[in-house]
Amino acid sequence: MWQNLSLRGRINLLLALLLALGLAVNIGRQVAEAGPRVQAEDQSVIRLAREFIEMIVADLNEAPDPDARLNQIARDLSRLRHVSIALRDEAGSPLTQPRTDVDDDTRAPPAWFVSLVHPEQTAVSVPVSIHGKPGSLLITSHPDDEIAEIWDAIVTQLEVGSVIALALFLVMMNVIGRALAPLQSLADVMAELEDGRYQARVAPGGAPELAAICTKLNHLAATLGDAIEDKRRLAERTVSLQDLERKEIARELHDEFGPYLFSLRAHVSALAKQADGRAPSAEAVRKHGSAMLEQINALQQFNRRVLERLRPVGLAELGLRRALESLSRLWRESHPDVAIETVISPALGVTGETADLTIYRIVQEALTNVFRHAGATSVNVVIEPVAQAASDGRSGARVRISDNGRGMEPGQKLGFGLVGMRERILALGGTLNVVSGDGGLTVEALVPTAAA
């Protein structure tokens, strides 16, 4: 049952139990103190009544009418609370009526309470003698009044305490309900986020801790929504680029590869016709052969360009270091006014095929952006090993490309190329950061490697 209760229900139940326990302890304390209290009161009343009677009856024989005086004393003392005094003759027979008055202002205690507090009455006999005639005054305690007062106080305490505890419980329940109200809103917003509605927000409220959690959740929802939107745009851009790449490759195959094949076929047909003649012309054969060699060389160059676009040529055969040197050399040849410095740490070691391709693509994309948009005069490329480049503790490589160009405009977002590289590196367990300032732009990536 406890496991099925909500946090609010658990707190309210504990509060109710604590209030009930406090009230029960208070009532139990009063019940435990009732017995000694009644006994002390009983003994005190008996002692005082006995001393008082002994003092009065000492001078009784000097009264004009001792019998009338004694009867008057018995009647007057019978009005005392918690005690009754009865006049008895020598044989012990009562000479006065016993007290029968009952205090109706107090509530009659139950029998179990009376037996628990004071089950027996106390009686003391004080002998008296009038002109040699023996008699006695019987002093009997009546703790019922005291017990009834204590019981009435306990009942009153129980009633008042119950009302106060109930009022306090209702107030605390309201306070706890208001303090924990954001929990339901948090659960609702989390359910909406789980369903993909990332625009859902929760109104901060309740205790400061809950308000902070609400604010953090709203920030998380906004960040998650932006990430999902970036991912959607990236996927859309990826599909678009794939279609564009296919169209370009198809166009190049149709516009370049097709004519070359047609030309080769024409030259081969011409050679075949020359072979059908009795005396083929050597000059004609040489002419057609030279043309075919030119067409084959053009086909090889075209094939190299297509392969370079699909995968870096020589990366697997020559390695990462030689492939990056070749890439830097090509950019230097096409942009001799820009100084490109490439530093690859000798301690880098083997990084693995996936890491090699990722590092190469990062440098390629960063250099492309530098020459397209930065207007820089110098570019520094540094690749070095790091102890930890992934969340699982794997080692990796740090790739840093910095330039002295104009940097990015305030609020400008990354291009799809760098966004795509970031998604790829994140999938590998690494990170990619872009820092723009007055001194240019710096792209830094941590790429996990295959080496443990």
Side-chain angles (χ1 to χ4, degrees):
M1 177 182 176
W2 177 261
Q3 299 296 331
N4 296 329
L5 286 177
S6 63
L7 178 60
R8 182 184 303 178
R10 294 182 182 184
I11 295 176
N12 290 334
L13 180 59
L14 288 176
L15 179 61
L17 292 178
L18 289 176
L19 291 175
L21 179 62
L23 184 60
V25 169
N26 189 28
I27 297 300
R29 179 185 61 82
Q30 292 190 7
V31 172
E33 294 176 353
R37 176 180 169 184
V38 170
Q39 292 179 2
E41 182 72 17
D42 191 17
Q43 295 174 2
S44 177
V45 169
I46 292 293
R47 185 177 62 254
L48 290 176
R50 180 174 183 176
E51 293 176 355
F52 182 68
I53 291 174
E54 289 177 348
M55 182 182 64
I56 293 177
V57 300
D59 300 331
L60 187 62
N61 290 324
E62 299 177 359
D65 188 357
D67 293 329
R69 179 59 179 164
L70 182 60
N71 291 330
Q72 183 63 36
I73 291 174
R75 286 192 302 270
D76 292 342
L77 292 179
S78 294
R79 299 190 182 98
L80 295 175
R81 295 191 62 189
H82 309 315
V83 67
S84 65
I85 300 175
L87 179 61
R88 295 177 179 269
D89 57 12
E90 183 179 3
S93 300
L95 299 177
T96 59
Q97 296 295 327
R99 191 178 72 177
T100 58
D101 56 325
V102 179
D103 190 358
D104 296 333
D105 295 337
T106 58
R107 307 174 190 180
W112 65 267
F113 184 74
V114 175
S115 62
L116 177 66
V117 173
H118 196 280
E120 298 179 355
Q121 290 182 336
T122 304
V124 176
S125 179
V126 179
V128 295
S129 178
I130 302 175
H131 300 298
K133 183 180 179 181
S136 64
L137 288 175
L138 182 63
I139 305 173
T140 304
S141 66
H142 289 276
D144 294 342
D145 295 337
E146 183 69 18
I147 295 175
E149 289 180 0
I150 295 175
W151 176 254
D152 186 71
I154 291 175
V155 173
T156 303
Q157 178 71 21
L158 181 61
E159 294 174 349
V160 175
S162 299
V163 172
I164 294 175
L166 180 60
L168 182 61
F169 175 74
L170 293 177
V171 171
M172 292 301 298
M173 186 172 63
N174 186 33
V175 172
I176 293 172
R178 290 179 177 272
L180 299 181
L183 290 179
Q184 185 60 42
S185 299
L186 284 171
D188 295 339
V189 171
M190 288 181 181
E192 293 186 16
L193 293 178
E194 186 179 4
D195 293 338
R197 296 189 291 272
Y198 302 106
Q199 71 279 3
R201 298 293 183 271
V202 58
E209 294 82 0
L210 290 178
I213 293 176
C214 294
T215 302
K216 294 293 184 181
L217 180 63
N218 291 336
H219 179 70
L220 176 63
T223 304
L224 185 59
D226 293 340
I228 295 298
E229 179 62 22
D230 291 341
K231 186 176 181 180
R232 185 196 63 78
R233 291 190 293 108
L234 178 62
E236 182 180 352
R237 178 64 175 172
T238 301
V239 173
S240 177
L241 289 177
Q242 288 177 349
D243 292 339
L244 181 62
E245 188 74 15
R246 292 190 182 99
K247 290 179 181 179
E248 290 181 357
I249 294 176
R251 180 182 55 80
E252 291 182 0
L253 290 175
H254 179 271
D255 294 344
E256 297 189 33
F257 200 80
Y260 290 146
L261 291 178
F262 179 79
S263 178
L264 285 174
R265 183 172 182 176
H267 288 296
V268 170
S269 298
L271 287 177
K273 291 180 181 180
Q274 290 288 334
D276 291 339
R278 295 181 180 179
S281 172
E283 183 65 24
V285 172
R286 188 181 302 108
K287 178 181 177 181
H288 291 296
S290 299
M292 291 175 64
L293 288 176
E294 291 179 0
Q295 300 297 324
I296 292 173
N297 289 333
L299 282 174
Q300 289 179 340
Q301 294 179 2
F302 171 74
N303 184 60
R304 187 179 296 111
R305 290 198 307 271
V306 173
L307 291 177
E308 176 66 25
R309 291 171 56 183
L310 297 177
R311 183 176 178 83
V313 178
L315 181 60
E317 295 79 5
L318 302 178
L320 177 63
R321 191 182 303 271
R322 296 287 299 275
L324 290 177
E325 291 176 355
S326 176
L327 178 64
S328 300
R329 184 172 58 255
L330 291 176
W331 281 112
R332 291 191 192 97
E333 292 175 356
S334 60
H335 297 81
D337 55 334
V338 180
I340 302 176
E341 182 180 359
T342 303
V343 178
I344 302 177
S345 174
L348 182 61
V350 178
T351 57
E353 183 179 358
T354 302
D356 286 348
L357 181 58
T358 302
I359 295 173
Y360 184 90
R361 290 302 189 192
I362 293 172
V363 177
Q364 185 183 43
E365 181 65 27
L367 291 178
T368 302
N369 290 334
V370 167
F371 291 107
R372 283 182 179 178
H373 311 294
T377 58
S378 66
V379 183
N380 294 322
V381 178
V382 179
I383 303 174
E384 58 187 359
V386 292
Q388 287 186 351
S391 57
D392 56 1
R394 286 184 296 161
S395 60
R398 176 185 287 110
V399 183
R400 183 187 296 110
I401 304 98
S402 57
D403 62 74
N404 62 349
R406 63 177 64 93
M408 298 176 62
E409 297 293 334
Q412 181 180 354
K413 294 185 177 181
L414 298 179
F416 287 104
L418 287 178
V419 172
M421 291 308 306
R422 172 179 287 176
E423 292 293 332
R424 178 171 182 169
I425 295 174
L426 288 177
L428 297 177
T431 59
L432 185 143
N433 296 312
V434 179
V435 180
S436 178
D438 297 335
L441 187 74
T442 300
V443 178
E444 182 173 320
L446 296 179
V447 181
T449 60

